[in-house]
Structure formats: C-alpha cells, structure tokens
Amino acid sequence: MTDEAPRGLRSLPLSDRYRSDQEDVVKAFFVPAFTVAASYSRAVGYFTSTSLALYARGIEIFAARGGSMRLIASPHLNEDDVVDIERGYDVRAVLERATMRELEQDQPETVLDGLGLLGRLIAEGRLDIKLAFVQQEGRVGIYHEKIGIFRDDLGDLVGFTGSSNETFGGLMANFESVEVYRGWVAGDGTRALRLEADFQALWSNQTPHLSVERFPDVARERLVKLGSDRPPRDLPGTDNALTPTPAEVYEPTRLTLPAWLTVRDYQREAVTSWLGHQGRGILKMATGTGKTKTAMIAATQLGNVLRQREQPLVVLIVAPLTHLVDQWITEVEGFGVRPIAVYESSQRWLPLVEEQLAAARMGQRPIVALVATNASFSGEKFQSVLARITLPLMIIGDEAHNLGSAAYQSSLPENATYRLALSATPERWFDDDGTDALIDYFGPIIFELGLGKAIEMGALTRYEYLPRLVELNDAETALYVGLSAQIATRIASGDNLKDADPNSPLGFLLRQRAGVLGHAEGKLAALRADLDARRDDWFQLIYCAEGRRPAEPGEEPGPKQVEEVMNLVGNQLHLSAHPYVSETPRPERKVLLRRFGAGDDLRALVAMRCLDEGVDIPDARTGYLLASSSNPRQFIQRRGRLLRLAPGKDRAVILDYLAVPPAGTSINFNVERALLVRELERANEFGKLSENYETTLQVLRPLKERYQLMDM
C-alpha cells in the first residue's frame, strides 16, 4: 500500500508495522458492501452483510494470527418476513426462517468451503455474529451502514467507513470511496474512537431505531455442522467478483413433471378420468394419498395439450388457510413454475397478477399460477380480476368441501373451463344443499380412493387403534345428565337427532354435551399413563378439546385442556413438547413442524384444530385423540395426518379416549343409546381398518352390551 492513494477504492496509509499481511486483511474487507471490525489477537470487531462466505478469505487471514471477530450482518428479509415483523410476529422466528432460507440454498463448492470455515471459527469461539435491521414506527428496513474497527495487541486502533459496491458494475464502473482513520494520528483518533463507540452501542442493541438480535441457534448449528462435515481447504486468494455475469437467456417457464416424481397407477387413473370428463370432476381421495400431486399432474397434462394449440393456461388453486397456500406454493415450484401467493395485502399480489396475465395474453407466458386463500379468493379485488380473465382457466379447489358453503358458492368463477375439486370428504355435514352446489359446479365424483384400498396398495401406512374408555367423575356426570335431559326434551318436542343443525338449539346442547365428554378429567390420567409408556418415542401428536372445561351455569369454566396437557407433558413428565394452536404465528408454525420432523428436538406437538386440514407432517407416528367431534370430516382428517408414508415408518398408533357416564347412571336410556351410536360409529370407523380390530371389539364390548348395541 502507498501512503497517498487516489480516491475511488482508497487504500490505507499505515505505519510500518501494518505493511505485511495486514494489507491482505484490509483489501479483503474494503471491496464489499459490508461493515467489519476485527483484531489480530484478542480484541473484537464488527461486520455487516448478507453474504459471509465470499469474504471468508479475509477472515481466514485474520484468524491465522489468533484474532477474534464480531460480525453484525443485515439479514436478507423477503416481503413475507418484513410483513410478519411489522405485524408483530416473533422476530426471532422470522430471523431464523430468513437465515435458514439463505443457508439451505444450493451453493457452489467454494461458497460451502467459506461457510465451513466460518462454522469452524464459530465452534472455536473466535467468531460471533449478530443480525441487525431498522425498526421504526412499525416499519422494517435494511441496515446498510458500512463501518469497521481494528485493534491490535498494543491497543492501536484503525476505523473506517464506506465501501464500494460489490457488484461487477460497481467495482469496475462506479466511483466509490472508503474513509480510514488511524487512532495514533492527531485528528483521526477522535473519529476512530467514535466508530468504536458506535460498534459497542450496536453490539449491545442500544442504537436508536435499530434492532440487533442474536444469530439464530439453528443457523449457528448449521454452520458449525458444515464446518465439521467439510474438510479444511485453502481458500483462493482471489475470487470471481470481477468476472462479468453471463447473460441469461429468458425462457418462459411451463409446468413439467419433476424428474424425482414417480406417478402412481391410481394417480394416472384419476387424471385420465378427469380429462375424460372434459376437465371437470371431484377427486375423493383419502387424506395422505397425494391429492396435491395428482392435481398438479392433471394441470401439467392440460398445459401440455394447450401449449400444442399455442394457448396459455391460468391455474388458480384455492385453499382454506395460509399455511396450505404456502405448502401449495412449494408443490407448484416443484413442477417448474413460481406461483403468486394471493393472500393478505392486495398491494403485494395485485400488480404481479395483472403483469403476468398481460404477458400471457400477449403470448409471452405459457402458464400463470395463482394460489389463494378462500378469504382472498372471495374478496372483491380478486373477484374483479377473476371476472376479466378470458384465457383458459383451471380452478383447483383444495379441501373443496369448504367451497360448498353459501359464503363461497357465488365466488366460484363461471369462466373457469376446467374445474377440479379435492377432498377426502366432499360431502358436507348436515348440508345437502351445499354438497349439491359443489357437485353442480365442479362435476361429479370421478375418482375415489378409500382408506382401506390406500392402505392395501401401500399408499398409506398400516395402523393400530387403541380405544380408551374413561368414566366421568361425579361433577361431570351431573352436568352430563342435565344436558341429556334437555336433549331428550328437544327430541320429544320433534327435533331430529340424526339431522340436527349444528346451529340449532339441539345442536347447541349436543356441543355442550360433547364438551363435557371431551374435557373429562379422567382423560389426563389415562393420557399420562400412555405417554409415560412411550416417553422414548418421537413424532407424537396430541389433539385436545377446544375451549375450557365446562361447568354448571353461573360457575366459572375450568382450565383449557391444551394448557393442562402442556403442563402434564412438559412439567410433570419432562418431555419436550410445544403447543400448535390458532394463536401460534404462521412463521413459528413452520419452525415447529421442522423441529418436529427432525426427530431429535420436539417429542410432541399439542394441538386443537390447527393440524386438521392439509398440514403435511408425514413423520407423525403416534396420535392421542382426547377429543374429536362426531363430524366424520374431523376424525378422518386427524387419522390421515398419522397415516402418511415416511422413511423408517412402518405403522402408526392411534389412541382414542372415549368418555362415558358410570354404569347405573340415571339417564334416559333411549336417548343415551342414540347418542352413543354417534360415538361408536367413530370407533368402528377407526377400528375396522386397523391391524388390531379384535382388540378394539373387546374393549368396546362392555359398552355395547350395556346399551344393547352388539349389532354395531
């Protein structure tokens, strides 16, 4: 280096003892759009960027002298991350998601070598990282400051601010500068000390309008593991930063079958049947048999046909919840197309939708894929866009039974030439009109794959069913008898138990009765025994009753069952578990499912209804059903969560806790017998396809004998 350097990429004028390998360190950090502070021995430093591996060379030189380093990086937040932070979701969970997204991308070997080096330095305690972003008045921004400090063993300080743009154009064509302040030079020292004070404030999260967080543990572990898995290699002294990026030739994307996908015979049969019905119909397929992939195969085949006619295709997928939209996006991307997520703010998705539809109309885009929640799909803005589409349109209704409700029937687009509905249970419970409307729009059931056949052909795993009979205690029995008497009165006045509307007075009483049964206190003792016997098992799901334990009118309701179960599992049995409920933020749900699927962190998820529809957790092996409504859709969905195939999984176990009044309880026999039929129907449905049906019959036999139901 020279003492006087031209502006632009300015060099450091250093004293004589800074003229050896220190020059390489400074060069390594002055090119990027980063912040660095470091030392050659025990002192610390500071660094900001979203790509660490590219500058591992400088860190390697630095660490070779025994130095330690502190880095503060600006995380790469996408639009979803920013919105989640602005809405108050857990910042740690969002940063973990963003960091892991970067680390899990496919990377060149040289980048992985650099990240491995960083992992080894972290493991040795010589590198520490934090993440920073701007957070002011509810808005999130990028931390883009470029400053740094160096100290040596003698206490001499160097500070700098600024950098050049790290792109090819920035390095070769821009006019940039770096200001350097030497602590031993009059005038420079004050500025260098100010930069050091700025760093200290940043590291301790005391800088106004900035949020500085610890590097996520899961990302830290990923780097450390990468460091242990990859052998140390000498990193090149130069990189390809000054090599122009090859020009990319734009080729419009289209749906293609992934190379890894093996199309099952029944999926091929389902798609053939749908095409044979002019692209309309309902696939009634058991949960876990691959309805999503079957639908994407159908869309791909349709796209191929239309492409031969030089026609584009608009694929609209409608799913009930945001986490299902996220799952669909991953599936569609696997078929070669990046879809637009249509939910939350229309300012995010509306311009993209309009742009891609315009490109398709001009013949510049063969496929437009949209994935919407039911709520956004039925909203005024999306309906306005939908009504103007004149291109070939295919609608895929996931969990399509929801679309048969009066709220959504009018939103289904009449201009959709191709229509495909997916559901394990397309028949709507106590809503024949809604079921008819669904069939009128999508067409008839054109393919059906039941649970028994799916297990037989190996599309789902085998399972054991273990019913547990639990007697109500005295207080619960008194409440139960009172509700049963009111139900008997409603039936005597002409209400029909079999066709009871859930929103009718009789439906309300039936829900109250189900609440007493679902929250029966004795279930916790039975659950404790079963969990204790399986305390070494992973992949366990516990389904709890909704709400609080019912009480007599005028009395305070009891505790929430999900809280009681968490106390039992975590505090009493000391098993790792986490609740998965409606209040759980969306980013945190993804993290929980990933931790659950790892098989070395969370032994159990404790849920209410959030794991019913569509959540993909194939590793789940044991399910504890503390409560299930008599709605067949709910218990079919819950059983399906447990029967999906997964590596190392040869069977599942379902434990079903059925609460009953004690023998001899004074109660209307005929009404109680009719009500019990609803409970036993579920047990029979679970038991008849299990590996241990004989055991199920033996457990239920005393109850059937008591109520003269041996014919069930």
Side-chain angles (χ1 to χ4, degrees), residues 375-419:
S376 294
F377 157 73
S378 60
E380 182 179 346
K381 288 187 178 179
F382 189 75
Q383 285 290 308
S384 174
V385 173
L386 202 55
R388 290 184 277 112
I389 294 178
T390 57
L391 302 170
L393 171 62
M394 175 184 182
I395 180 172
I396 300 173
D398 189 25
E399 306 295 352
H401 44 267
N402 295 290
L403 298 176
S405 70
Y408 296 126
Q409 288 178 24
S410 60
S411 299
L412 294 169
E414 291 301 326
N415 54 339
T417 306
Y418 309 101
R419 306 172 184 180

Side-chain angles (χ1 to χ4, degrees), residues 187-207:
D188 280 10
T190 302
R191 296 183 178 93
L193 288 171
R194 175 178 54 78
L195 292 177
E196 187 175 43
D198 288 346
F199 155 65
Q200 298 291 355
L202 273 166
W203 191 258
S204 57
N205 196 20
Q206 295 178 354
T207 304

Side-chain angles (χ1 to χ4, degrees), residues 20 221 299 312 339 378 391 403 416 438 502 540 610 648 679:
S20 57
E221 292 167 6
S378 60
L391 302 170
L403 298 176
L438 204 64
Q540 304 188 71
C610 293
E679 307 291 331

Side-chain angles (χ1 to χ4, degrees), residues 486-487 490 495 500-512:
Q486 295 180 64
I487 291 171
R490 297 297 313 183
D495 286 358
D501 186 324
N503 298 316
S504 67
L506 178 58
F508 172 78
L509 292 172
L510 291 173
R511 288 200 305 276
Q512 294 291 102

